[in-house]
Amino acid sequence: MNKHLIVGTFGSSDLPQITVAPNEKITKLPLVGGSNTLNFGLSIVIEDLISRNVYPSEVGLDLLITAAHVYAADTRISRETESQDSWTREIKLIIPVSNPAVWNNVNGLLVRLLNFLTGDRWQLEFRTRPEKYSQLIPQKNNSVSEENKYNKVQLFSGGLDSLIGTINNLEAGNSPLLISHAGDGLTSKAQEECFDILKEHYETGVFDRLRLWMNIPNEIFDNAPIEDTTRGRSFLFFSLGVFAGTGLSSPFILETPENGLIALNVPLNLLRLGSLSTHTTHPYYMNVWNEILAGLEINGKIKNPYWKDTKGQMVQDCSNKELLIKALSHSLSCSSPAKGRWKGKVGHCGYCLPCLIRRASILSDSSIVDNTPYTLGDLKNEKIDTLVSDGQQIRSFQLAISKIKKNRDLAKLLIHKSGPLPKDSEKLEKLENVYYNGMMEVDRLLEGVITEPKK
């Protein structure tokens, strides 16, 4: 096992004094490249925002630079080779920022948030950017009186929930700046196709999309194995949204459309308590984010408008059902859309947790026919083998659903399994209901599905 120290640097002359601990491997993360442009797509994003008359803050950029460190560590440090338990890594980041004193105020909150999100052990240290790079955001020309045209920021992943969130925003007359982080090719394709359909329909609507493609070259980490669990990706996604939000009229709202069942992500069994249980929009994660924004004196908040709604309720309540039906098959919900490549199939697997919740949500609305192609299309065609991945997830759902159908009160306990929740009794009741109702949606999908181990 190695401990890892990642040091962000601004050019070859930026040589901070660093003490390396025993068993600690140091990696320098070069933040600037040729012509003094920021690496990892950061300069492109800044230019893209400025062209839209959006001028983000230096603290907002600090946050995005911090996210680049987190993303680099998360995707380039292998859990298999660099941890004692094949999961938990020890990572320290030394990050150059505009004002370390401001960032030291939220250091503890950031560590708590990252530990919760990724399951690793993080340490953060902040230092002052070199004077040459003390101001990286161009100043707005005061002679230009025009204000930017967006009234909120919204994450746009290419998934069904973000598609519905965007439709609802546009039908309500809002002008959202949509935020996309380009991942694999299939995810990018889904984002592009859904956005094009929205643009065609709302041709006079005021909305646009900011897209970041962040690629960390292999050679920075000595061509070490790539880590594909990417638990820290949402930190980058949120940071990009906040960064853009700091350039809007304050206070701003960053919306993260996600159904309540997925947001809670209650583990279906004990195996999902650790490595397989994500916290991307968990209520605790969202609350800590807002504490961090307050500590950084960023005048904005992150909200999930659908935290108390099942995915089925989101589908049923969509403000433009006809448009949703048109765009439905272009959205992408699968957790690993490329995993069927060896079978000659890519896209929705049809049996992972997000796929099953997606299928159940569409089934809950009788006005919609699901025309999404799934690798495992007909769940009732034959018995599903629980010794392979196709059947394991389905069987886990069946067992979890069986338990809460026998004892409805179990829902009150189970919602706490994935992380701390607010103590407000009214909110807890709504979280309990969204969990139970969401599981019952999946129950209707799995009615008549037979799972058993095949010899």
Side-chain angles (χ1 to χ4, degrees):
M1 171 188 171
N2 287 311
K3 297 179 180 178
H4 284 264
L5 172 62
I6 298 176
V7 183
T9 60
F10 279 95
S12 57
S13 61
D14 185 17
L15 302 171
Q17 296 296 313
I18 298 165
T19 302
V20 182
N23 258 357
E24 193 169 50
K25 185 176 181 180
I26 185 170
T27 301
K28 290 185 179 180
L29 189 68
L31 296 169
V32 292
S35 303
N36 286 327
T37 57
L38 291 172
N39 286 330
F40 316 126
L42 300 182
S43 276
I44 295 173
V45 164
I46 293 172
E47 292 169 5
D48 204 359
L49 285 174
I50 299 302
S51 71
R52 292 176 167 85
N53 204 30
V54 176
Y55 289 77
S57 70
E58 292 292 338
V59 173
L61 180 58
D62 289 338
L63 179 59
L64 193 54
I65 288 172
T66 299
H69 286 70
V70 171
Y71 186 73
D74 188 47
T75 56
R76 298 298 173 183
I77 299 175
S78 169
R79 294 186 185 276
E80 183 177 354
T81 63
E82 304 302 301
S83 66
Q84 290 181 340
D85 59 0
S86 296
W87 184 260
T88 309
R89 302 162 297 185
E90 294 190 32
I91 303 168
K92 181 177 180 179
L93 309 177
I94 299 181
I95 306 165
V97 295
S98 58
N99 186 346
V102 171
W103 283 90
N104 287 333
N105 287 336
V106 297
N107 195 325
L109 287 170
L110 279 165
V111 168
R112 194 199 316 167
L113 181 139
L114 291 171
N115 288 349
F116 178 74
L117 179 64
T118 71
D120 299 302
R121 295 172 185 163
W122 295 83
Q123 286 182 276
L124 305 180
E125 185 177 311
F126 298 100
R127 67 183 184 90
T128 306
R129 292 183 204 161
E131 185 176 354
K132 180 180 178 181
Y133 300 97
S134 61
Q135 184 171 316
L136 292 166
I137 304 296
Q139 293 297 296
K140 184 176 181 179
N141 188 338
N142 290 330
S143 65
V144 178
S145 60
E146 180 187 358
E147 293 295 325
N148 64 70
K149 55 192 176 181
Y150 312 105
N151 68 351
K152 66 168 62 177
V153 191
Q154 186 213 294
L155 300 188
F156 186 76
S157 65
L160 180 55
D161 288 1
S162 71
L163 173 62
I164 293 172
T166 308
I167 291 173
N168 290 346
N169 263 319
L170 293 171
E171 289 290 324
N174 286 315
S175 304
L177 176 59
L178 305 178
I179 304 296
S180 294
H181 170 240
D184 58 73
L186 292 170
T187 301
S188 294
K189 181 183 177 184
Q191 293 168 358
E192 292 286 349
E193 291 182 354
C194 288
F195 183 71
D196 287 346
I197 291 170
L198 292 168
K199 270 294 183 185
E200 181 182 8
H201 184 83
Y202 299 101
E203 55 184 354
T204 60
V206 180
F207 69 105
D208 217 325
R209 185 165 74 107
L210 177 70
R211 179 176 181 267
L212 171 64
W213 174 268
M214 182 169 285
N215 181 45
I216 310 297
N218 291 343
E219 55 267 25
I220 292 178
F221 286 81
D222 297 328
N223 295 306
I226 293 175
E227 175 56 48
D228 61 3
T229 53
T230 61
R231 284 294 181 267
R233 182 169 54 188
S234 79
F235 185 79
L236 174 62
F237 204 7
F238 279 42
S239 297
L240 179 61
V242 171
F243 173 59
T246 62
L248 303 188
S249 301
S250 65
F252 68 88
I253 297 296
L254 168 60
E255 288 187 355
T256 63
E258 187 85 274
N259 71 85
L261 181 62
I262 283 283
L264 273 173
N265 204 10
V266 175
L268 298 177
N269 53 55
L270 290 177
L271 293 177
R272 292 195 66 93
L273 281 173
S275 62
L276 294 177
S277 188
T278 61
H279 299 115
T280 301
T281 51
H282 189 275
Y284 175 75
Y285 179 69
M286 302 279 283
N287 287 340
V288 178
W289 253 110
N290 282 321
E291 288 184 60
I292 290 169
L293 297 188
L296 293 173
E297 298 183 355
I298 291 176
N299 196 4
K301 284 197 171 184
I302 302 175
K303 293 183 179 181
N304 177 8
Y306 306 101
W307 65 272
K308 61 182 183 300
D309 297 328
T310 68
K311 201 180 191 84
Q313 288 169 335
M314 289 184 68
V315 169
Q316 294 162 34
D317 295 339
C318 180
S319 300
N320 190 325
K321 201 74 67 66
E322 184 177 342
L323 180 59
L324 176 62
I325 292 170
K326 180 179 180 179
L328 179 64
S329 63
H330 297 273
S331 66
L332 182 65
S333 304
C334 188
S335 61
S336 303
K339 61 176 169 273
R341 196 179 299 277
W342 66 276
K343 295 181 180 179
K345 298 180 179 180
V346 292
H348 288 90
C349 69
Y351 57 81
C352 68
L353 184 145
C355 274
L356 291 171
I357 294 174
R358 172 195 175 95
R359 297 176 75 167
S361 70
I362 300 169
L363 182 67
S364 72
D365 190 320
S366 59
S367 69
I368 299 180
V369 175
D370 191 357
N371 56 1
T372 308
Y374 299 101
T375 300
L376 181 61
D378 189 349
L379 298 174
K380 302 175 185 178
N381 184 46
E382 59 182 27
K383 295 177 182 178
I384 298 176
D385 187 2
T386 56
L387 296 180
V388 296
S389 57
D390 302 37
Q392 289 167 358
Q393 190 72 77
I394 295 172
R395 185 58 181 159
S396 293
F397 255 120
Q398 288 176 326
L399 292 173
I401 290 168
S402 174
K403 289 178 181 178
I404 61 173
K405 285 177 76 173
K406 290 177 181 176
N407 183 359
R408 173 69 169 78
D409 287 342
L410 265 180
K412 296 178 182 179
L413 302 175
L414 292 173
I415 58 173
H416 295 274
K417 289 289 186 181
S418 54
L421 294 174
K423 295 180 180 179
D424 183 283
S425 59
E426 185 177 344
K427 287 186 178 179
L428 284 175
E429 184 178 359
K430 289 178 180 177
L431 290 170
E432 173 200 338
N433 287 334
V434 77
Y435 169 63
Y436 180 83
N437 293 333
M439 293 294 277
M440 291 306 102
E441 285 180 3
V442 179
D443 183 43
R444 288 187 285 276
L445 172 72
L446 299 182
E447 186 177 352
V449 175
I450 299 174
T451 55
E452 65 178 25
K454 294 182 181 178
K455 297 180 180 179

